[in-house]
mmCIF file of all heavy atoms in Angstrom:
data_model
loop_
_atom_site.group_PDB
_atom_site.id
_atom_site.type_symbol
_atom_site.label_atom_id
_atom_site.label_comp_id
_atom_site.label_asym_id
_atom_site.label_seq_id
_atom_site.Cartn_x
_atom_site.Cartn_y
_atom_site.Cartn_z
ATOM 1 N N GLU A 9 23.263 156.453 11.386
ATOM 2 C CA GLU A 9 23.149 155.167 12.088
ATOM 3 C C GLU A 9 23.341 154.010 11.105
ATOM 4 O O GLU A 9 23.972 153.015 11.438
ATOM 5 C CB GLU A 9 21.793 155.052 12.802
ATOM 6 C CG GLU A 9 21.686 155.887 14.054
ATOM 7 C CD GLU A 9 22.677 155.454 15.137
ATOM 8 O OE1 GLU A 9 22.676 154.264 15.511
ATOM 9 O OE2 GLU A 9 23.451 156.305 15.600
ATOM 10 N N MET A 10 22.795 154.161 9.906
ATOM 11 C CA MET A 10 22.949 153.114 8.903
ATOM 12 C C MET A 10 24.423 152.923 8.545
ATOM 13 O O MET A 10 24.905 151.796 8.431
ATOM 14 C CB MET A 10 22.136 153.435 7.644
ATOM 15 C CG MET A 10 22.067 152.276 6.662
ATOM 16 S SD MET A 10 20.884 152.589 5.343
ATOM 17 C CE MET A 10 21.959 153.308 4.130
ATOM 18 N N GLN A 11 25.143 154.014 8.383
ATOM 19 C CA GLN A 11 26.572 153.923 8.067
ATOM 20 C C GLN A 11 27.353 153.318 9.240
ATOM 21 O O GLN A 11 28.236 152.486 9.033
ATOM 22 C CB GLN A 11 27.127 155.297 7.710
ATOM 23 C CG GLN A 11 26.638 155.810 6.375
ATOM 24 C CD GLN A 11 27.005 157.261 6.144
ATOM 25 O OE1 GLN A 11 26.807 158.111 7.024
ATOM 26 N NE2 GLN A 11 27.535 157.556 4.966
ATOM 27 N N LEU A 12 27.026 153.722 10.468
ATOM 28 C CA LEU A 12 27.713 153.177 11.642
ATOM 29 C C LEU A 12 27.470 151.678 11.783
ATOM 30 O O LEU A 12 28.323 150.957 12.297
ATOM 31 C CB LEU A 12 27.258 153.892 12.915
ATOM 32 C CG LEU A 12 27.746 155.323 13.085
ATOM 33 C CD1 LEU A 12 27.027 155.992 14.249
ATOM 34 C CD2 LEU A 12 29.257 155.365 13.283
ATOM 35 N N ASN A 13 26.316 151.224 11.323
ATOM 36 C CA ASN A 13 25.964 149.805 11.449
ATOM 37 C C ASN A 13 26.323 148.987 10.219
ATOM 38 O O ASN A 13 25.947 147.824 10.113
ATOM 39 C CB ASN A 13 24.481 149.667 11.782
ATOM 40 C CG ASN A 13 24.177 150.182 13.172
ATOM 41 O OD1 ASN A 13 24.984 150.044 14.084
ATOM 42 N ND2 ASN A 13 23.026 150.804 13.329
ATOM 43 N N SER A 14 27.080 149.587 9.309
ATOM 44 C CA SER A 14 27.518 148.882 8.102
ATOM 45 C C SER A 14 28.947 148.383 8.290
ATOM 46 O O SER A 14 29.791 149.093 8.844
ATOM 47 C CB SER A 14 27.500 149.824 6.897
ATOM 48 O OG SER A 14 26.195 150.272 6.660
ATOM 49 N N PRO A 15 29.215 147.161 7.818
ATOM 50 C CA PRO A 15 30.598 146.680 7.882
ATOM 51 C C PRO A 15 31.478 147.466 6.918
ATOM 52 O O PRO A 15 31.017 147.906 5.864
ATOM 53 C CB PRO A 15 30.510 145.216 7.467
ATOM 54 C CG PRO A 15 29.128 144.974 6.994
ATOM 55 C CD PRO A 15 28.303 146.191 7.271
ATOM 56 N N TYR A 16 32.720 147.662 7.307
ATOM 57 C CA TYR A 16 33.625 148.425 6.448
ATOM 58 C C TYR A 16 34.293 147.542 5.415
ATOM 59 O O TYR A 16 34.955 148.042 4.509
ATOM 60 C CB TYR A 16 34.669 149.186 7.284
ATOM 61 C CG TYR A 16 35.703 148.326 7.961
ATOM 62 C CD1 TYR A 16 36.946 148.119 7.371
ATOM 63 C CD2 TYR A 16 35.445 147.720 9.177
ATOM 64 C CE1 TYR A 16 37.898 147.321 7.982
ATOM 65 C CE2 TYR A 16 36.395 146.922 9.796
ATOM 66 C CZ TYR A 16 37.615 146.729 9.189
ATOM 67 O OH TYR A 16 38.552 145.932 9.792
ATOM 68 N N ARG A 17 34.129 146.218 5.545
ATOM 69 C CA ARG A 17 34.610 145.270 4.542
ATOM 70 C C ARG A 17 33.741 144.027 4.638
ATOM 71 O O ARG A 17 33.084 143.803 5.661
ATOM 72 C CB ARG A 17 36.087 144.937 4.739
ATOM 73 C CG ARG A 17 36.401 144.200 6.006
ATOM 74 C CD ARG A 17 37.862 143.751 6.062
ATOM 75 N NE ARG A 17 38.217 143.293 7.374
ATOM 76 C CZ ARG A 17 37.916 142.097 7.879
ATOM 77 N NH1 ARG A 17 37.225 141.230 7.170
ATOM 78 N NH2 ARG A 17 38.288 141.775 9.101
ATOM 79 N N PRO A 18 33.711 143.178 3.596
ATOM 80 C CA PRO A 18 32.899 141.959 3.653
ATOM 81 C C PRO A 18 33.282 141.099 4.862
ATOM 82 O O PRO A 18 34.466 140.907 5.146
ATOM 83 C CB PRO A 18 33.231 141.241 2.342
ATOM 84 C CG PRO A 18 33.717 142.316 1.426
ATOM 85 C CD PRO A 18 34.387 143.333 2.310
ATOM 86 N N ASP A 19 32.279 140.631 5.594
ATOM 87 C CA ASP A 19 32.454 139.786 6.778
ATOM 88 C C ASP A 19 33.253 140.468 7.887
ATOM 89 O O ASP A 19 33.820 139.806 8.749
ATOM 90 C CB ASP A 19 33.116 138.443 6.416
ATOM 91 C CG ASP A 19 32.280 137.646 5.431
ATOM 92 O OD1 ASP A 19 31.040 137.620 5.604
ATOM 93 O OD2 ASP A 19 32.861 137.073 4.494
ATOM 94 N N GLY A 20 33.307 141.787 7.857
ATOM 95 C CA GLY A 20 34.047 142.529 8.881
ATOM 96 C C GLY A 20 33.105 143.144 9.899
ATOM 97 O O GLY A 20 31.877 143.023 9.819
ATOM 98 N N TRP A 21 33.710 143.801 10.866
ATOM 99 C CA TRP A 21 32.931 144.502 11.876
ATOM 100 C C TRP A 21 32.264 145.716 11.261
ATOM 101 O O TRP A 21 32.708 146.244 10.243
ATOM 102 C CB TRP A 21 33.843 144.984 12.998
ATOM 103 C CG TRP A 21 34.430 143.907 13.835
ATOM 104 C CD1 TRP A 21 33.908 142.675 14.087
ATOM 105 C CD2 TRP A 21 35.671 143.964 14.548
ATOM 106 N NE1 TRP A 21 34.752 141.970 14.915
ATOM 107 C CE2 TRP A 21 35.832 142.728 15.217
ATOM 108 C CE3 TRP A 21 36.649 144.932 14.695
ATOM 109 C CZ2 TRP A 21 36.940 142.459 16.012
ATOM 110 C CZ3 TRP A 21 37.739 144.668 15.482
ATOM 111 C CH2 TRP A 21 37.876 143.434 16.138
ATOM 112 N N THR A 22 31.218 146.181 11.938
ATOM 113 C CA THR A 22 30.603 147.438 11.530
ATOM 114 C C THR A 22 31.527 148.585 11.947
ATOM 115 O O THR A 22 32.452 148.402 12.756
ATOM 116 C CB THR A 22 29.233 147.636 12.206
ATOM 117 O OG1 THR A 22 29.429 147.750 13.619
ATOM 118 C CG2 THR A 22 28.279 146.485 11.876
ATOM 119 N N VAL A 23 31.254 149.750 11.416
ATOM 120 C CA VAL A 23 32.022 150.925 11.822
ATOM 121 C C VAL A 23 31.869 151.115 13.333
ATOM 122 O O VAL A 23 32.852 151.394 14.034
ATOM 123 C CB VAL A 23 31.570 152.182 11.042
ATOM 124 C CG1 VAL A 23 32.239 153.430 11.578
ATOM 125 C CG2 VAL A 23 31.842 152.002 9.546
ATOM 126 N N ARG A 24 30.668 150.934 13.856
ATOM 127 C CA ARG A 24 30.408 151.072 15.301
ATOM 128 C C ARG A 24 31.289 150.093 16.092
ATOM 129 O O ARG A 24 31.951 150.479 17.053
ATOM 130 C CB ARG A 24 28.929 150.810 15.600
ATOM 131 C CG ARG A 24 28.558 150.926 17.072
ATOM 132 C CD ARG A 24 27.091 150.561 17.329
ATOM 133 N NE ARG A 24 26.176 151.192 16.408
ATOM 134 C CZ ARG A 24 25.719 152.430 16.516
ATOM 135 N NH1 ARG A 24 26.107 153.192 17.523
ATOM 136 N NH2 ARG A 24 24.892 152.925 15.622
ATOM 137 N N GLN A 25 31.294 148.828 15.694
ATOM 138 C CA GLN A 25 32.116 147.833 16.381
ATOM 139 C C GLN A 25 33.594 148.196 16.312
ATOM 140 O O GLN A 25 34.332 147.997 17.278
ATOM 141 C CB GLN A 25 31.906 146.445 15.780
ATOM 142 C CG GLN A 25 30.583 145.802 16.152
ATOM 143 C CD GLN A 25 30.363 144.524 15.365
ATOM 144 O OE1 GLN A 25 30.258 144.561 14.142
ATOM 145 N NE2 GLN A 25 30.298 143.406 16.071
ATOM 146 N N THR A 26 34.016 148.735 15.180
ATOM 147 C CA THR A 26 35.423 149.100 15.010
ATOM 148 C C THR A 26 35.811 150.234 15.957
ATOM 149 O O THR A 26 36.869 150.189 16.584
ATOM 150 C CB THR A 26 35.706 149.486 13.546
ATOM 151 O OG1 THR A 26 35.356 148.372 12.709
ATOM 152 C CG2 THR A 26 37.166 149.837 13.336
ATOM 153 N N VAL A 27 34.957 151.240 16.086
ATOM 154 C CA VAL A 27 35.245 152.350 17.006
ATOM 155 C C VAL A 27 35.352 151.818 18.436
ATOM 156 O O VAL A 27 36.293 152.150 19.169
ATOM 157 C CB VAL A 27 34.179 153.466 16.898
ATOM 158 C CG1 VAL A 27 34.352 154.502 18.013
ATOM 159 C CG2 VAL A 27 34.247 154.128 15.532
ATOM 160 N N HIS A 28 34.406 150.967 18.831
ATOM 161 C CA HIS A 28 34.453 150.411 20.191
ATOM 162 C C HIS A 28 35.670 149.488 20.354
ATOM 163 O O HIS A 28 36.291 149.462 21.422
ATOM 164 C CB HIS A 28 33.157 149.686 20.519
ATOM 165 C CG HIS A 28 31.970 150.611 20.627
ATOM 166 N ND1 HIS A 28 31.967 151.738 21.429
ATOM 167 C CD2 HIS A 28 30.753 150.580 20.024
ATOM 168 C CE1 HIS A 28 30.791 152.348 21.319
ATOM 169 N NE2 HIS A 28 30.045 151.671 20.469
ATOM 170 N N HIS A 29 36.034 148.755 19.306
ATOM 171 C CA HIS A 29 37.238 147.915 19.342
ATOM 172 C C HIS A 29 38.490 148.763 19.576
ATOM 173 O O HIS A 29 39.373 148.369 20.346
ATOM 174 C CB HIS A 29 37.391 147.122 18.032
ATOM 175 C CG HIS A 29 38.795 146.691 17.764
ATOM 176 N ND1 HIS A 29 39.411 145.668 18.467
ATOM 177 C CD2 HIS A 29 39.723 147.167 16.896
ATOM 178 C CE1 HIS A 29 40.659 145.539 18.025
ATOM 179 N NE2 HIS A 29 40.868 146.435 17.073
ATOM 180 N N ILE A 30 38.572 149.887 18.909
ATOM 181 C CA ILE A 30 39.750 150.747 19.074
ATOM 182 C C ILE A 30 39.890 151.136 20.542
ATOM 183 O O ILE A 30 40.984 151.055 21.113
ATOM 184 C CB ILE A 30 39.665 151.983 18.157
ATOM 185 C CG1 ILE A 30 39.816 151.561 16.692
ATOM 186 C CG2 ILE A 30 40.718 153.017 18.536
ATOM 187 C CD1 ILE A 30 39.430 152.637 15.687
ATOM 188 N N TYR A 31 38.785 151.537 21.173
ATOM 189 C CA TYR A 31 38.879 151.880 22.593
ATOM 190 C C TYR A 31 39.329 150.667 23.416
ATOM 191 O O TYR A 31 40.251 150.771 24.234
ATOM 192 C CB TYR A 31 37.559 152.433 23.152
ATOM 193 C CG TYR A 31 37.677 152.561 24.647
ATOM 194 C CD1 TYR A 31 38.472 153.564 25.208
ATOM 195 C CD2 TYR A 31 37.078 151.636 25.497
ATOM 196 C CE1 TYR A 31 38.653 153.653 26.577
ATOM 197 C CE2 TYR A 31 37.257 151.722 26.866
ATOM 198 C CZ TYR A 31 38.043 152.728 27.395
ATOM 199 O OH TYR A 31 38.240 152.794 28.756
ATOM 200 N N ASP A 32 38.682 149.530 23.211
ATOM 201 C CA ASP A 32 39.039 148.330 23.984
ATOM 202 C C ASP A 32 40.513 147.982 23.807
ATOM 203 O O ASP A 32 41.226 147.708 24.773
ATOM 204 C CB ASP A 32 38.178 147.134 23.555
ATOM 205 C CG ASP A 32 36.715 147.261 23.954
ATOM 206 O OD1 ASP A 32 36.401 148.057 24.861
ATOM 207 O OD2 ASP A 32 35.887 146.554 23.338
ATOM 208 N N SER A 33 40.973 147.992 22.571
ATOM 209 C CA SER A 33 42.350 147.630 22.266
ATOM 210 C C SER A 33 43.340 148.615 22.878
ATOM 211 O O SER A 33 44.327 148.217 23.519
ATOM 212 C CB SER A 33 42.528 147.580 20.741
ATOM 213 O OG SER A 33 43.872 147.388 20.409
ATOM 214 N N HIS A 34 43.083 149.893 22.717
ATOM 215 C CA HIS A 34 44.017 150.899 23.202
ATOM 216 C C HIS A 34 43.993 151.000 24.730
ATOM 217 O O HIS A 34 45.022 151.253 25.350
ATOM 218 C CB HIS A 34 43.740 152.244 22.530
ATOM 219 C CG HIS A 34 44.089 152.219 21.072
ATOM 220 N ND1 HIS A 34 44.401 153.353 20.359
ATOM 221 C CD2 HIS A 34 44.195 151.185 20.182
ATOM 222 C CE1 HIS A 34 44.679 153.020 19.099
ATOM 223 N NE2 HIS A 34 44.548 151.709 18.983
ATOM 224 N N HIS A 35 42.823 150.752 25.320
ATOM 225 C CA HIS A 35 42.737 150.710 26.784
ATOM 226 C C HIS A 35 43.597 149.563 27.324
ATOM 227 O O HIS A 35 44.335 149.732 28.299
ATOM 228 C CB HIS A 35 41.282 150.551 27.217
ATOM 229 C CG HIS A 35 41.098 150.468 28.682
ATOM 230 N ND1 HIS A 35 40.992 151.576 29.478
ATOM 231 C CD2 HIS A 35 41.024 149.400 29.506
ATOM 232 C CE1 HIS A 35 40.852 151.189 30.738
ATOM 233 N NE2 HIS A 35 40.874 149.891 30.783
ATOM 234 N N ASN A 36 43.510 148.410 26.699
ATOM 235 C CA ASN A 36 44.338 147.273 27.101
ATOM 236 C C ASN A 36 45.818 147.594 26.924
ATOM 237 O O ASN A 36 46.645 147.258 27.775
ATOM 238 C CB ASN A 36 43.959 146.016 26.313
ATOM 239 C CG ASN A 36 42.823 145.263 26.958
ATOM 240 O OD1 ASN A 36 42.999 144.601 27.966
ATOM 241 N ND2 ASN A 36 41.638 145.377 26.378
ATOM 242 N N ALA A 37 46.173 148.254 25.834
ATOM 243 C CA ALA A 37 47.579 148.604 25.587
ATOM 244 C C ALA A 37 48.099 149.567 26.652
ATOM 245 O O ALA A 37 49.224 149.413 27.143
ATOM 246 C CB ALA A 37 47.739 149.215 24.198
ATOM 247 N N TYR A 38 47.290 150.560 27.009
ATOM 248 C CA TYR A 38 47.689 151.509 28.044
ATOM 249 C C TYR A 38 47.928 150.780 29.364
ATOM 250 O O TYR A 38 48.918 151.043 30.060
ATOM 251 C CB TYR A 38 46.621 152.590 28.194
ATOM 252 C CG TYR A 38 46.921 153.590 29.274
ATOM 253 C CD1 TYR A 38 47.846 154.610 29.073
ATOM 254 C CD2 TYR A 38 46.281 153.524 30.514
ATOM 255 C CE1 TYR A 38 48.123 155.535 30.067
ATOM 256 C CE2 TYR A 38 46.555 154.436 31.509
ATOM 257 C CZ TYR A 38 47.473 155.437 31.282
ATOM 258 O OH TYR A 38 47.752 156.342 32.276
ATOM 259 N N THR A 39 47.055 149.850 29.681
ATOM 260 C CA THR A 39 47.219 149.056 30.904
ATOM 261 C C THR A 39 48.505 148.238 30.839
ATOM 262 O O THR A 39 49.234 148.134 31.838
ATOM 263 C CB THR A 39 45.995 148.145 31.116
ATOM 264 O OG1 THR A 39 44.829 148.974 31.223
ATOM 265 C CG2 THR A 39 46.139 147.293 32.366
ATOM 266 N N ARG A 40 48.824 147.699 29.693
ATOM 267 C CA ARG A 40 50.076 146.949 29.521
ATOM 268 C C ARG A 40 51.280 147.858 29.759
ATOM 269 O O ARG A 40 52.280 147.435 30.345
ATOM 270 C CB ARG A 40 50.127 146.319 28.134
ATOM 271 C CG ARG A 40 49.088 145.230 27.960
ATOM 272 C CD ARG A 40 48.915 144.794 26.521
ATOM 273 N NE ARG A 40 47.868 143.788 26.444
ATOM 274 C CZ ARG A 40 47.442 143.241 25.326
ATOM 275 N NH1 ARG A 40 47.993 143.591 24.167
ATOM 276 N NH2 ARG A 40 46.489 142.344 25.341
ATOM 277 N N PHE A 41 51.200 149.105 29.301
ATOM 278 C CA PHE A 41 52.264 150.081 29.567
ATOM 279 C C PHE A 41 52.473 150.236 31.066
ATOM 280 O O PHE A 41 53.599 150.196 31.562
ATOM 281 C CB PHE A 41 51.901 151.451 28.970
ATOM 282 C CG PHE A 41 52.531 151.741 27.648
ATOM 283 C CD1 PHE A 41 52.181 151.021 26.515
ATOM 284 C CD2 PHE A 41 53.466 152.748 27.528
ATOM 285 C CE1 PHE A 41 52.742 151.301 25.289
ATOM 286 C CE2 PHE A 41 54.045 153.044 26.297
ATOM 287 C CZ PHE A 41 53.684 152.312 25.173
ATOM 288 N N LYS A 42 51.369 150.426 31.771
ATOM 289 C CA LYS A 42 51.466 150.654 33.214
ATOM 290 C C LYS A 42 52.037 149.423 33.928
ATOM 291 O O LYS A 42 52.851 149.557 34.842
ATOM 292 C CB LYS A 42 50.093 151.025 33.776
ATOM 293 C CG LYS A 42 49.524 152.312 33.196
ATOM 294 C CD LYS A 42 50.261 153.532 33.676
ATOM 295 C CE LYS A 42 49.542 154.069 34.861
ATOM 296 N NZ LYS A 42 49.794 155.475 35.117
ATOM 297 N N TRP A 43 51.603 148.242 33.509
ATOM 298 C CA TRP A 43 52.156 147.020 34.114
ATOM 299 C C TRP A 43 53.658 146.942 33.879
ATOM 300 O O TRP A 43 54.420 146.643 34.789
ATOM 301 C CB TRP A 43 51.494 145.779 33.537
ATOM 302 C CG TRP A 43 50.129 145.472 34.066
ATOM 303 C CD1 TRP A 43 49.617 145.809 35.291
ATOM 304 C CD2 TRP A 43 49.105 144.753 33.397
ATOM 305 N NE1 TRP A 43 48.332 145.340 35.405
ATOM 306 C CE2 TRP A 43 47.990 144.690 34.259
ATOM 307 C CE3 TRP A 43 49.014 144.162 32.136
ATOM 308 C CZ2 TRP A 43 46.813 144.047 33.912
ATOM 309 C CZ3 TRP A 43 47.830 143.527 31.799
ATOM 310 C CH2 TRP A 43 46.747 143.465 32.668
ATOM 311 N N ALA A 44 54.075 147.188 32.645
ATOM 312 C CA ALA A 44 55.500 147.087 32.317
ATOM 313 C C ALA A 44 56.320 148.120 33.091
ATOM 314 O O ALA A 44 57.480 147.855 33.439
ATOM 315 C CB ALA A 44 55.724 147.246 30.819
ATOM 316 N N LEU A 45 55.738 149.262 33.360
ATOM 317 C CA LEU A 45 56.450 150.299 34.105
ATOM 318 C C LEU A 45 56.527 150.013 35.606
ATOM 319 O O LEU A 45 57.390 150.547 36.289
ATOM 320 C CB LEU A 45 55.791 151.666 33.886
ATOM 321 C CG LEU A 45 55.996 152.269 32.499
ATOM 322 C CD1 LEU A 45 55.052 153.460 32.296
ATOM 323 C CD2 LEU A 45 57.447 152.675 32.297
ATOM 324 N N THR A 46 55.628 149.174 36.083
ATOM 325 C CA THR A 46 55.542 148.974 37.536
ATOM 326 C C THR A 46 55.834 147.549 37.993
ATOM 327 O O THR A 46 55.875 147.296 39.196
ATOM 328 C CB THR A 46 54.149 149.383 38.052
ATOM 329 O OG1 THR A 46 53.145 148.576 37.413
ATOM 330 C CG2 THR A 46 53.880 150.861 37.784
ATOM 331 N N GLU A 47 56.027 146.635 37.045
ATOM 332 C CA GLU A 47 56.322 145.245 37.380
ATOM 333 C C GLU A 47 57.482 144.767 36.509
ATOM 334 O O GLU A 47 57.731 145.316 35.446
ATOM 335 C CB GLU A 47 55.095 144.351 37.137
ATOM 336 C CG GLU A 47 53.876 144.751 37.956
ATOM 337 C CD GLU A 47 52.645 143.934 37.602
ATOM 338 O OE1 GLU A 47 52.779 142.822 37.030
ATOM 339 O OE2 GLU A 47 51.532 144.418 37.880
ATOM 340 N N ALA A 48 58.150 143.732 36.946
ATOM 341 C CA ALA A 48 59.276 143.170 36.180
ATOM 342 C C ALA A 48 58.740 142.208 35.119
ATOM 343 O O ALA A 48 58.284 141.119 35.439
ATOM 344 C CB ALA A 48 60.249 142.457 37.107
ATOM 345 N N THR A 49 58.785 142.633 33.881
ATOM 346 C CA THR A 49 58.340 141.843 32.719
ATOM 347 C C THR A 49 57.061 141.056 33.018
ATOM 348 O O THR A 49 57.049 139.828 33.034
ATOM 349 C CB THR A 49 59.459 140.900 32.234
ATOM 350 O OG1 THR A 49 60.702 141.597 32.228
ATOM 351 C CG2 THR A 49 59.164 140.403 30.810
ATOM 352 N N PRO A 50 55.965 141.783 33.248
ATOM 353 C CA PRO A 50 54.708 141.099 33.553
ATOM 354 C C PRO A 50 54.183 140.312 32.357
ATOM 355 O O PRO A 50 54.412 140.676 31.204
ATOM 356 C CB PRO A 50 53.764 142.253 33.889
ATOM 357 C CG PRO A 50 54.302 143.400 33.108
ATOM 358 C CD PRO A 50 55.799 143.225 33.133
ATOM 359 N N THR A 51 53.507 139.234 32.642
ATOM 360 C CA THR A 51 52.774 138.501 31.609
ATOM 361 C C THR A 51 51.404 139.136 31.533
ATOM 362 O O THR A 51 50.690 139.223 32.538
ATOM 363 C CB THR A 51 52.655 137.008 31.959
ATOM 364 O OG1 THR A 51 53.977 136.456 32.005
ATOM 365 C CG2 THR A 51 51.816 136.258 30.932
ATOM 366 N N ILE A 52 51.056 139.620 30.361
ATOM 367 C CA ILE A 52 49.794 140.334 30.200
ATOM 368 C C ILE A 52 48.622 139.366 30.123
ATOM 369 O O ILE A 52 48.776 138.186 29.815
ATOM 370 C CB ILE A 52 49.809 141.234 28.951
ATOM 371 C CG1 ILE A 52 49.980 140.382 27.683
ATOM 372 C CG2 ILE A 52 50.869 142.306 29.072
ATOM 373 C CD1 ILE A 52 49.570 141.082 26.414
ATOM 374 N N LYS A 53 47.462 139.892 30.396
ATOM 375 C CA LYS A 53 46.213 139.163 30.194
ATOM 376 C C LYS A 53 45.795 139.441 28.760
ATOM 377 O O LYS A 53 45.677 140.588 28.343
ATOM 378 C CB LYS A 53 45.167 139.683 31.182
ATOM 379 C CG LYS A 53 43.757 139.235 30.905
ATOM 380 C CD LYS A 53 43.482 137.891 31.519
ATOM 381 C CE LYS A 53 42.013 137.529 31.441
ATOM 382 N NZ LYS A 53 41.644 136.750 30.289
ATOM 383 N N ILE A 54 45.628 138.380 27.994
ATOM 384 C CA ILE A 54 45.148 138.565 26.630
ATOM 385 C C ILE A 54 43.620 138.541 26.641
ATOM 386 O O ILE A 54 43.009 138.094 27.613
ATOM 387 C CB ILE A 54 45.728 137.510 25.661
ATOM 388 C CG1 ILE A 54 45.424 136.095 26.135
ATOM 389 C CG2 ILE A 54 47.227 137.705 25.505
ATOM 390 C CD1 ILE A 54 45.822 135.018 25.164
ATOM 391 N N TYR A 55 43.021 139.019 25.583
ATOM 392 C CA TYR A 55 41.565 139.028 25.497
ATOM 393 C C TYR A 55 41.152 138.658 24.085
ATOM 394 O O TYR A 55 41.913 138.836 23.134
ATOM 395 C CB TYR A 55 40.990 140.385 25.928
ATOM 396 C CG TYR A 55 41.245 141.505 24.952
ATOM 397 C CD1 TYR A 55 40.234 141.950 24.104
ATOM 398 C CD2 TYR A 55 42.492 142.121 24.853
ATOM 399 C CE1 TYR A 55 40.460 142.975 23.201
ATOM 400 C CE2 TYR A 55 42.725 143.145 23.961
ATOM 401 C CZ TYR A 55 41.710 143.567 23.136
ATOM 402 O OH TYR A 55 41.931 144.581 22.227
ATOM 403 N N ASP A 56 39.960 138.163 23.951
ATOM 404 C CA ASP A 56 39.422 137.741 22.664
ATOM 405 C C ASP A 56 38.720 138.939 22.018
ATOM 406 O O ASP A 56 37.553 139.205 22.294
ATOM 407 C CB ASP A 56 38.453 136.579 22.880
ATOM 408 C CG ASP A 56 37.875 136.014 21.603
ATOM 409 O OD1 ASP A 56 37.947 136.682 20.543
ATOM 410 O OD2 ASP A 56 37.331 134.899 21.660
#
């Protein structure tokens, strides 16, 4: 737990945040794939 809650670089996210970020980012990318396959050049929703 201590390692998961440690940042992987100064002022960076913790390892835990990074793992959850990867899911969030890749989930959004997969959704963008589906939009592009089913709509004509869709404008994606960006997220912070």
Side-chain angles (χ1 to χ4, degrees):
E9 285 297 305
M10 190 170 93
Q11 289 170 312
L12 288 170
N13 292 325
S14 298
Y16 70 96
R17 66 173 168 79
D19 299 319
W21 292 332
T22 64
V23 173
R24 180 184 313 278
Q25 286 172 297
T26 302
V27 171
H28 293 308
H29 157 73
I30 291 167
Y31 172 72
D32 291 340
S33 173
H34 291 204
H35 179 85
N36 274 285
Y38 178 78
T39 300
R40 293 168 182 177
F41 261 67
K42 298 289 266 203
W43 282 333
L45 288 168
T46 60
E47 300 175 21
T49 317
T51 297
I52 62 161
K53 168 85 171 93
I54 56 173
Y55 71 103
D56 183 343

